[in-house]
Amino acid sequence: MNKSIDVKFDEQHIWHPYTSMQSPLPSYPVKSADGVRITLENGTELIDGMSSWWSVIHGYNHPVINQAITEQLSKMSHVMFGGLTHRPAIDLCKKLVELTPKGLEKVFLADSGSVSVEVALKMAIQCQLGRGYKNRNKFVTIKHGYHGDTFGAMAVCDPVNSMHSLYSDILPKNYFIDAPKSKPNGTFNLAELDELKALLQNSNEHIAALILEPVVQGAGGMRFYHPDFISGAKAICEQYNILLIADEIATGFGRTGKMFACEHAKITPDILCLGKAITGGYMTLAATLCTDKVALDISQCEAGVLMHGPTFMANPLACAAANASLSLLMTGEWFEQVKQIELGLRDGLQACLELETVADVRVLGAIGVVEMKKAVNVAEIQKLFMQYGLWIRPFGKLVYVMPQYVISKQDLTSLTSGIVNTLKAL
Ligand code: PMP
């Protein structure tokens, strides 16, 4: 018998992300998802513009990833990673070392993006201790950033967006510099590096690392900035022996048109965080990579080891999904797909610029952003999008999409024309 879904229970008992329990936004029950489509319990089919928050790059219900997980399931779904290892983890880490910028050799497999950021921050502090810097336990980051919801990660998120005021006595205090304004395809204003230069000159004895989202700042405002900021910042950090942590949890695996956004700046960070699309959005897994030098210096610190080891570290099912997802990427097809999506988004969203309510339209790789002049009413606008058969979840003033790489030209056109028509109707 097909039992009806208990949405009331959901509403009364289950937290959803950043949602009030008192007056929650609607949560639509999903029955299944396949390719670029999400099917609701009531039979409505929606083209997914969100890739489930950057992660489902190859589409839902992908036969190759399904098969990899099923095969792994029949062998083992999990074993502890302390004192044991396994083929899925080794295969995955080989691929990660091969794919990521040259010089990143050591891999820590974590269980979510936020945890991989925590690991990166700890790596940086322990590395500096290993180098003999006793007080380097703070971080520099750029305003409007987002790095996750755990305390360490939150402490390097934009202080206003992530409401640091709520946690003022418990959150570690870090350094926030102005976010670069030069656009990725324009000329870079060198003066944007001055604040970092001055800060590192004056306070380097307290600073372990600079952490940033290269080229695209995601949940902190969907801002795009010039890659020369990153190469310039890396050079300044090197002068003071300060590490650069690149958080590519959102931008990694082709999303910006390069396999990793750091490649736009032609740099290798000292530490790199990956997540989201690593498993093709099948399950939670993340990775923190670092250079040999960082790993060696960590081993020189008092602990002698990296102080982290989660229960589900290197979960074999997640590693199997990631191996399959990365094999799909390694065919290289993504490159042309992302290029076509970029063209389609540029072309399709351009009409938004003519709307009185729109402040800016920007596209990079397979990311399209329409910034409104005022914050949108999420519940209301989502209903309108759904009338066009679209799943889009804006936040604040930002209506944005990052479609799956496998989206067809026709579905991409439905997505962009649905956005234009919805915004016209507001
Ligand atoms: N860093 C960035 C850049 C992210 O976009 C996110 C997730 N939105 C995170 C970290 C945190 O990842 P997770 O939600 O998997 O903990």
Side-chain angles (χ1 to χ4, degrees):
M1 205 179 77
N2 196 358
K3 239 178 105 189
S4 72
I5 184 162
D6 195 347
V7 181
K8 264 265 148 312
F9 183 89
D10 184 291
E11 214 176 280
Q12 288 167 359
H13 296 275
I14 309 181
W15 294 108
H16 284 261
Y18 291 95
T19 296
S20 156
M21 269 285 167
Q22 193 94 54
S23 53
L25 284 167
S27 290
Y28 298 94
V30 177
K31 185 165 65 184
S32 61
D34 190 77
V36 302
R37 283 181 167 67
I38 291 173
T39 304
L40 301 185
E41 284 283 348
N42 67 9
T44 306
E45 269 197 10
L46 303 171
I47 298 172
D48 176 22
M50 306 305 293
S51 294
S52 279
W53 281 336
W54 314 78
S55 65
V56 185
I57 52 176
H58 309 295
Y60 298 98
N61 199 21
H62 195 289
V64 173
I65 309 180
N66 285 4
Q67 191 188 342
I69 294 172
T70 312
E71 277 174 15
Q72 184 54 45
L73 185 61
S74 64
K75 293 181 189 137
M76 63 182 163
S77 59
H78 186 60
V79 286
M80 64 189 278
F81 211 52
L84 298 173
T85 193
H86 45 77
R87 202 182 291 267
I90 295 169
D91 289 350
L92 170 61
C93 293
K94 272 189 188 165
K95 288 194 183 84
L96 290 174
V97 169
E98 186 188 328
L99 278 173
T100 51
K102 200 168 159 27
L104 294 165
E105 295 289 334
K106 307 284 197 261
V107 190
F108 187 102
L109 294 170
D111 33 15
S112 75
S114 301
V115 173
S116 80
V117 170
E118 298 289 337
V119 170
L121 301 177
K122 282 170 139 180
M123 277 182 177
I125 289 174
Q126 282 196 239
C127 171
Q128 296 291 6
L129 284 170
R131 290 177 183 180
Y133 296 104
K134 298 266 178 291
N135 299 315
R136 285 192 162 182
N137 51 20
K138 297 204 172 295
F139 297 91
V140 189
T141 190
I142 51 186
K143 290 176 190 164
H144 302 290
Y146 178 81
H147 298 284
D149 287 347
T150 49
F151 271 98
M154 214 165 70
V156 287
C157 289
D158 186 89
V160 180
N161 287 344
S162 59
M163 299 199 75
H164 280 195
S165 54
L166 300 179
Y167 312 97
S168 53
D169 287 343
I170 187 168
L171 265 191
K173 299 265 182 291
N174 289 312
Y175 297 97
F176 293 87
I177 56 173
D178 283 343
K181 292 195 178 71
S182 302
K183 305 247 165 72
N185 299 321
T187 31
F188 178 60
N189 175 6
L190 264 175
E192 288 174 10
L193 288 163
D194 288 351
E195 195 182 355
L196 180 67
K197 256 184 228 163
L199 177 65
L200 296 201
Q201 195 170 26
N202 296 329
S203 305
N204 66 73
E205 73 269 28
H206 302 297
I207 296 169
L210 163 68
I211 178 167
L212 47 75
E213 298 155 275
V215 186
V216 176
Q217 295 185 292
M222 299 300 295
R223 298 178 75 262
F224 304 161
Y225 66 91
H226 202 290
D228 283 5
F229 180 87
I230 303 159
S231 43
K234 170 87 175 114
I236 299 168
C237 286
E238 274 172 9
Q239 245 181 294
Y240 296 98
N241 233 342
I242 284 168
L243 305 179
L244 175 66
I245 303 172
D247 176 350
E248 294 232 25
I249 289 164
T251 51
F253 304 110
R255 181 57 68 180
T256 67
K258 301 269 189 198
M259 182 60 90
F260 298 99
C262 281
E263 293 171 28
H264 292 284
K266 301 187 179 60
I267 59 119
T268 297
D270 300 284
I271 301 176
L272 173 71
C273 298
L274 302 172
K276 290 186 183 280
I278 193 171
T279 62
Y282 261 65
M283 54 185 84
T284 181
L285 181 73
T288 312
L289 286 89
C290 71
T291 60
D292 278 337
K293 171 97 177 78
V294 169
L296 185 71
D297 291 341
I298 288 170
S299 311
Q300 307 299 320
C301 95
E302 189 193 345
V305 296
L306 178 67
M307 294 295 287
H308 212 96
T311 308
F312 287 100
M313 185 166 179
N315 172 257
L317 280 180
C319 289
N323 272 312
S325 175
L326 297 195
S327 296
L328 290 169
L329 273 179
M330 284 161 118
T331 64
E333 257 183 283
W334 66 271
F335 185 76
E336 195 51 37
Q337 290 168 333
V338 169
K339 213 151 104 187
Q340 290 309 317
I341 295 171
E342 176 164 2
L343 292 174
L345 289 173
R346 275 190 205 290
D347 197 37
L349 294 178
Q350 204 182 2
C352 295
L353 271 175
E354 284 154 31
L355 304 177
E356 191 50 36
T357 48
V358 169
D360 187 32
V361 175
R362 45 191 183 265
V363 173
L364 183 73
I367 311 166
V369 183
V370 182
E371 184 166 336
M372 309 297 289
K373 287 183 182 155
K374 289 196 190 128
V376 296
N377 177 325
V378 177
E380 182 195 336
I381 200 171
Q382 274 198 317
K383 271 198 196 129
L384 294 172
F385 284 136
M386 286 166 85
Q387 285 171 10
Y388 286 99
L390 307 179
W391 175 247
I392 299 172
R393 174 138 169 130
F395 69 88
K397 297 177 186 169
L398 300 162
V399 175
Y400 67 108
V401 285
M402 57 289 233
Q404 298 150 1
Y405 301 169
V406 293
I407 195 167
S408 68
K409 199 165 186 243
Q410 197 180 352
D411 284 342
L412 187 61
T413 305
S414 303
L415 195 62
T416 53
S417 61
I419 293 173
V420 174
N421 290 330
T422 300
L423 298 186
K424 268 185 191 161
L426 281 185

